[in-house]
Amino acid sequence: MTIVVGYVPDPTGALALDQALQEAGWRGTSVTVVNVIGTAGYRSPTLAAEKELDAVEARVRALHDDSCVLHINLPEGERVSDVLLRVAEQRSAVLVVVGLKRRSSVAKVLLGSTAQSVLLASRCPVLAVRAG
């Protein structure tokens, strides 16, 4: 059992990671950090630098030996939410933690909402956090 957290290198991602670590400490479970990057490659705003992911991995492994960080390239035709839900299913997640960001109505229509998709489709509880 693990807690899966969707991670992006910004304040919302940091808050989601902090909450996942806190929940894992309370539950005595591992944490699986998932950083998904889109087809934009290195310019993707969701791409976390290797050095940053190493620091994140050190934090989660200090909590639980079975914790890990997954850096996943978004498969063509899939959404980030699909990847997070698949990882949660594969790892028998007891909780999924996602960050919420304020977006315009137009952006929501055009891009969809990863957090909303996870909230609606997850088979386990979801904790949604919002920075600031």
Side-chain angles (χ1 to χ4, degrees):
M1 292 191 301
T2 191
I3 292 175
V4 171
V5 56
Y7 179 77
V8 294
D10 65 12
T12 301
L15 179 60
L17 176 62
D18 290 345
Q19 290 294 175
L21 290 170
Q22 187 174 40
E23 287 285 336
W26 291 334
R27 298 169 188 245
T29 64
S30 64
V31 174
T32 300
V33 179
V34 182
N35 177 238
V36 180
I37 61 168
T39 55
Y42 69 92
R43 293 183 160 204
S44 173
T46 61
L47 174 62
E50 189 172 332
K51 186 175 181 179
E52 183 176 358
L53 288 179
D54 289 345
V56 168
E57 186 161 22
R59 281 186 70 194
V60 299
R61 290 187 66 70
L63 177 73
H64 199 285
D65 285 345
D66 291 338
S67 295
C68 66
V69 174
L70 304 175
H71 190 71
I72 301 172
N73 288 312
L74 185 64
E76 191 165 330
E78 288 196 22
R79 298 176 304 167
V80 173
S81 58
D82 298 332
V83 174
L84 289 173
L85 292 167
R86 184 171 48 254
V87 170
E89 185 76 23
Q90 290 171 345
R91 300 201 175 232
S92 301
V94 294
L95 179 70
V96 176
V97 182
V98 293
L100 296 174
K101 294 181 182 179
R102 184 172 298 278
R103 296 185 349 184
S104 70
S105 298
V106 173
K108 288 177 190 173
V109 169
L110 294 176
L111 301 173
S113 167
T114 297
Q116 180 181 1
S117 296
V118 171
L119 282 163
L120 294 173
S122 179
R123 294 185 182 188
C124 68
V126 177
L127 173 61
V129 299
R130 188 175 75 119

